[in-house]
Amino acid sequence: MITVRRSVTPQHEGINKILTLDLAHTRQLLLALFDLPIAKSGAARLASPDFSEADPGVCRADGAILYGERKGDKLGVIVETQRAEDETKRYAWLEYIANMRAREKCPACLVVICPKGRVAKWASGDISTGHPGLVLKPLVIHEGNTPVITDARQAAENIGLAVVSVVTQSEHPRFNEITAAVQAALDTIDRETAYRYARYITLSLEGDAQEEWGRGMDTKTYPYQGAYAESLVAEGEVKGKAKGKAELLLKLLDSRGHAVLDDVRERVMDCRDEPTLDNWFERALKGDSVEELFL
């Protein structure tokens, strides 16, 4: 059993939510990018992403989708978001596929979305399993295989693909046109789904791209933007409280003489879950090392 420990950032969560929000849109996305045996319509549901067995190890994917109902047309799709190279995944990914295949009694495949081209190149490499002829080649969504969609009508024809293209094409010279097309296309679907896509895109982007997306949302007047604006206000209030607790936790660690590495500091500051921060604070009061925070 491979033990995979996670530090889930807002960007990681946002990208994963994009791929699991509307399974019909994701179906269109997958059919457009990969030659997968998914029926063009029919049943689809989220499956458990927990592929652990009955032992202390943790084997949990970011997301899992099951398309189809009958034995002959079922297909499991494991969804992973990868923001950096992680050699442990080259061992865990095959386990995800094998466990989902055994649990659901159907074929299963792995789809990895990589916002960064360098990481996409790494993730796309063949993974030799050691068994003759058994080599895993992940299906990777990246800037090289997602289209640059600047036409709102084209974006509306495949919302899933258009939304993902905002994330993968965030450094494209025509990014402002890409965002405008997607923001207009979201107005063609139901308001609740549109607002949630808009929020998840905000989480998924960073730096200048996130600011550009925000500027576009500020200047348009689509109906779904009312809920989006309200969610940002609420999120800002929660974020402010969480940030204060995170900063207090780091001060406590410093005062106790603990060396706080950059990755730990980043993990603490990225956390927006107040109960988790409270739990870490209690552990910091009693523990003898930083590592004990995340046990």
Side-chain angles (χ1 to χ4, degrees):
M1 172 66 67
I2 303 299
T3 299
V4 181
R5 304 183 69 176
R6 299 178 178 277
S7 174
V8 180
T9 66
Q11 184 192 35
H12 190 113
E13 180 183 7
I15 296 173
N16 185 51
K17 292 290 188 182
I18 283 173
L19 294 177
T20 56
L21 172 58
D22 187 300
L23 304 188
H25 291 158
T26 301
R27 185 202 309 268
Q28 286 183 288
L29 158 69
L30 295 174
L31 289 173
L33 294 182
F34 307 113
D35 186 20
L36 293 178
I38 307 176
K40 293 185 178 180
S41 62
R45 63 178 174 84
L46 289 177
S48 171
D50 191 340
F51 302 120
S52 302
E53 298 174 2
D55 68 28
V58 177
C59 179
R60 184 179 180 86
D62 291 328
I65 304 169
L66 192 63
Y67 286 108
E69 292 180 324
R70 298 185 302 274
K71 183 177 179 180
D73 67 2
K74 284 175 65 175
L75 176 69
V77 180
I78 297 159
V79 174
E80 282 277 281
T81 298
Q82 202 64 33
R83 300 169 59 249
E85 296 181 21
D86 182 354
E87 287 302 316
T88 64
K89 293 298 184 71
R90 300 181 71 82
Y91 296 92
W93 282 341
L94 185 67
E95 186 174 5
Y96 295 170
I97 292 174
N99 286 358
M100 187 175 195
R101 181 174 179 272
R103 186 182 72 194
E104 302 293 346
K105 302 296 187 292
C106 71
C109 65
L110 171 73
V111 175
V112 184
I113 180 168
C114 298
K116 299 178 181 178
R118 174 181 55 80
V119 179
K121 183 177 181 180
W122 166 83
S124 299
D126 290 351
I127 301 174
S128 177
T129 65
H131 185 84
L134 182 57
V135 177
L136 174 62
K137 188 173 182 62
L139 302 174
V140 180
I141 300 174
H142 56 92
E143 62 180 350
N145 65 355
T146 51
V148 176
I149 302 175
T150 59
D151 180 80
R153 287 175 297 179
Q154 183 183 356
E157 291 173 358
N158 194 330
I159 290 289
L161 184 60
V163 168
V164 165
S165 76
V166 175
V167 179
T168 58
Q169 302 293 345
S170 62
E171 297 182 0
H172 196 278
R174 300 177 68 187
F175 183 69
N176 61 328
E177 297 176 57
I178 297 171
T179 61
V182 172
Q183 287 165 359
L186 289 178
D187 194 43
T188 67
I189 63 177
D190 70 274
R191 187 179 304 185
E192 173 67 17
T193 302
Y195 130 71
R196 292 173 68 183
Y197 270 135
R199 281 198 73 253
Y200 297 151
I201 289 173
T202 300
L203 289 175
S204 301
L205 296 173
E206 295 180 309
D208 293 343
Q210 190 180 70
E211 291 182 8
E212 178 63 35
W213 173 261
R215 279 194 294 270
M217 292 298 294
D218 289 341
T219 58
K220 302 296 190 303
T221 56
Y222 300 120
Y224 69 88
Q225 289 180 279
Y228 172 83
E230 291 173 5
S231 74
L232 288 187
V233 172
E235 183 180 329
E237 294 175 352
V238 171
K239 185 176 179 181
K241 293 179 182 178
K243 182 180 179 182
K245 290 189 175 186
E247 291 174 344
L248 189 60
L249 172 57
L250 292 175
K251 287 180 181 178
L252 174 61
L253 292 172
D254 288 336
S255 69
R256 297 200 63 198
H258 295 309
V260 182
L261 300 179
D262 289 343
D263 61 336
V264 173
R265 191 173 298 275
E266 180 181 358
R267 181 174 181 179
V268 170
M269 291 305 299
D270 282 342
C271 183
R272 296 291 177 262
D273 185 66
E274 291 188 62
T276 296
L277 288 166
D278 291 339
N279 187 31
W280 288 349
F281 194 88
E282 289 296 322
R283 291 181 182 179
L285 285 171
K286 303 172 184 177
D288 297 322
S289 68
V290 174
E291 288 72 21
E292 291 179 44
L293 289 181
F294 311 121
L295 294 177

